[in-house]
Amino acid sequence: MEAEGIMEQISSDTTIHDLPDHILQHILSLLFSTKYAVRTCVLSKRWVYLWKDISNILLPQTGFKSRQQFINFVSRFYQVYDCSNIRSLFFCCQVGEDAPQINEWLQGFINPNIQELSVYVGETKEPLVFPEHLFTCATLTKFKVCMKHIFKIPFSIQFESLRTLTLNSIIFPDTSSTQQFFNGCPCLEVLDLYYCNWMNVDSVCICPPMLQKVTIIEGRGKDKPNEATRVSNYCNVMIDGNSLKSFSYRGDLRNDYFLYSSTSVMIASIDIHAPKSWNKNVALFVFKLLHVLSNAENLSITPISLSV
């Protein structure tokens, strides 16, 4: 809809120099990296400061010749850019030894009016620390975070506008704060849980009334738990499916996921990757899912899952 509105303002004989500033800034915000938006400052006097008012900031490490070049660029950008303008932030890099520096950037980049936030940092020796005002942000609609470390959750949480949540590789800290986190997402519609570590959590209930789509992926590569580890560390994850339309699970049965009130699910997928020694547990898990997904119109189930 926004693109259509912009096209209506552009006639067939319009050149880029004829476009108003707000359209040029929108175009700059769509570039692969904010680095390229900043580079346009050399085009003419008019372009010198245009990039400073863009609200969609993209800071991926890819595209830089070295990690140090990326660190230097973000440091300079952080010093001269007015972070209160940011409405959407995509940040992706390897943390290395620079966790304190990256935490400082996040504290500044994430303002109380941000609408979309995506942070991908992979493995880190220290956890990232998000500003506390993020967890009570009334404008945030999309939140994606990938971090192989404990996800620090503050005492007060109220994501009153959050619709889409993606958690990738994070370690949930404990049962109480994890439950508090999901309770603070009353308007959630889409939930993606990729390779999350629940080992510190006994059980949790995820029950946003408008939740429509859940995708769960767990277990990867050589990191396969043995039976003893699974029994002692696995978590009971209960999902209220009152409004759920789509449910997908792919993994090696590290945790127990249970759907209730799930008669509304129309699309479902079950893909179990488990050693043969787990057959009874796998069979029970699949049976419970099939039982609650009896109304699904489109059901995908792998041969391994079906055979057990």
Side-chain angles (χ1 to χ4, degrees), residues 73 115 164 168 204:
F73 172 81
Q115 297 172 6
T164 301
N168 191 328
V204 65

Side-chain angles (χ1 to χ4, degrees), residues 36-148:
Y36 301 116
V38 174
R39 285 181 177 179
T40 61
C41 68
V42 301
L43 295 179
S44 69
K45 289 183 178 180
R46 181 190 177 194
W47 289 78
V48 171
Y49 300 109
L50 270 179
W51 63 270
K52 288 192 174 184
D53 289 322
I54 61 177
S55 60
N56 182 34
I57 302 301
L58 301 167
L59 298 173
Q61 185 177 322
T62 54
F64 289 84
K65 292 183 178 180
S66 69
R67 184 171 175 282
Q68 190 57 51
Q69 278 191 357
F70 172 77
I71 296 294
N72 293 340
F73 172 81
V74 178
S75 295
R76 293 194 299 270
F77 178 80
Y78 181 72
Q79 292 171 2
V80 300
Y81 180 79
D82 182 1
C83 296
S84 65
N85 289 335
I86 297 179
R87 295 297 174 265
S88 176
L89 172 66
F90 175 88
F91 182 88
C92 179
C93 78
Q94 295 299 319
V95 176
E97 303 297 327
D98 297 306
Q101 174 71 80
I102 292 174
N103 280 331
E104 179 185 342
W105 292 339
L106 292 178
Q107 295 291 322
F109 284 138
I110 302 174
N111 63 64
N113 297 311
I114 197 165
Q115 297 172 6
E116 299 183 8
L117 175 62
S118 300
V119 178
Y120 297 84
V121 295
E123 292 205 44
T124 170
K125 295 179 180 178
E126 301 177 40
L128 296 188
V129 181
F130 294 94
E132 288 199 9
H133 63 250
L134 170 67
F135 296 89
T136 56
C137 181
T139 56
L140 188 68
T141 59
K142 292 183 180 180
F143 184 25
K144 301 181 180 182
V145 57
C146 176
M147 171 182 63
K148 290 184 179 179

Side-chain angles (χ1 to χ4, degrees), residues 13-279:
D13 58 348
T14 299
T15 68
I16 193 168
H17 299 290
D18 299 323
L19 298 176
D21 286 356
H22 73 277
I23 292 182
L24 291 176
Q25 288 160 354
H26 178 76
I27 294 172
L28 292 180
S29 71
L30 297 177
L31 296 176
F32 168 72
S33 173
T34 298
K35 173 182 73 172
Y36 301 116
V38 174
R39 285 181 177 179
T40 61
C41 68
V42 301
L43 295 179
S44 69
K45 289 183 178 180
R46 181 190 177 194
W47 289 78
V48 171
Y49 300 109
L50 270 179
W51 63 270
K52 288 192 174 184
D53 289 322
I54 61 177
S55 60
N56 182 34
I57 302 301
L58 301 167
L59 298 173
Q61 185 177 322
T62 54
F64 289 84
K65 292 183 178 180
S66 69
R67 184 171 175 282
Q68 190 57 51
Q69 278 191 357
F70 172 77
I71 296 294
N72 293 340
F73 172 81
V74 178
S75 295
R76 293 194 299 270
F77 178 80
Y78 181 72
Q79 292 171 2
V80 300
Y81 180 79
D82 182 1
C83 296
S84 65
N85 289 335
I86 297 179
R87 295 297 174 265
S88 176
L89 172 66
F90 175 88
F91 182 88
C92 179
C93 78
Q94 295 299 319
V95 176
E97 303 297 327
D98 297 306
Q101 174 71 80
I102 292 174
N103 280 331
E104 179 185 342
W105 292 339
L106 292 178
Q107 295 291 322
F109 284 138
I110 302 174
N111 63 64
N113 297 311
I114 197 165
Q115 297 172 6
E116 299 183 8
L117 175 62
S118 300
V119 178
Y120 297 84
V121 295
E123 292 205 44
T124 170
K125 295 179 180 178
E126 301 177 40
L128 296 188
V129 181
F130 294 94
E132 288 199 9
H133 63 250
L134 170 67
F135 296 89
T136 56
C137 181
T139 56
L140 188 68
T141 59
K142 292 183 180 180
F143 184 25
K144 301 181 180 182
V145 57
C146 176
M147 171 182 63
K148 290 184 179 179
H149 211 291
I150 291 178
F151 183 47
K152 290 194 171 183
I153 300 173
F155 177 76
S156 180
I157 300 172
Q158 185 58 44
F159 289 118
E160 62 182 59
S161 300
L162 190 64
R163 299 290 190 274
T164 301
L165 174 64
T166 300
L167 302 176
N168 191 328
S169 303
I170 67 165
I171 303 173
F172 291 106
D174 56 71
T175 299
S176 176
S177 58
T178 301
Q179 184 62 67
Q180 182 175 306
F181 178 82
F182 286 109
N183 288 346
C185 307
C187 297
L188 197 62
E189 297 176 359
V190 178
L191 174 63
D192 299 322
L193 299 171
Y194 300 148
Y195 311 110
C196 292
N197 189 325
W198 300 85
M199 65 180 296
N200 300 319
V201 183
D202 296 323
S203 63
V204 65
C205 181
I206 303 174
C207 52
M210 295 187 290
L211 187 62
Q212 297 180 23
K213 182 179 180 181
V214 173
T215 303
I216 299 168
I217 303 175
E218 59 181 356
R220 62 166 57 172
K222 299 178 181 179
D223 182 25
K224 294 183 179 179
N226 56 38
E227 180 71 5
T229 300
R230 179 185 177 276
V231 170
S232 60
N233 289 339
Y234 87 128
C235 174
N236 289 295
V237 182
M238 294 165 283
I239 302 171
D240 187 346
N242 235 351
S243 301
L244 203 60
K245 306 297 182 187
S246 173
F247 176 82
S248 175
Y249 175 85
R250 187 174 83 221
D252 53 12
L253 206 65
R254 299 188 175 211
N255 303 282
D256 191 16
Y257 298 91
F258 179 71
L259 298 176
Y260 58 93
S261 303
S262 57
T263 56
S264 60
V265 177
M266 294 291 104
I267 303 174
S269 174
I270 305 173
D271 183 359
I272 307 295
H273 304 152
K276 293 181 179 179
S277 61
W278 292 7
N279 278 353

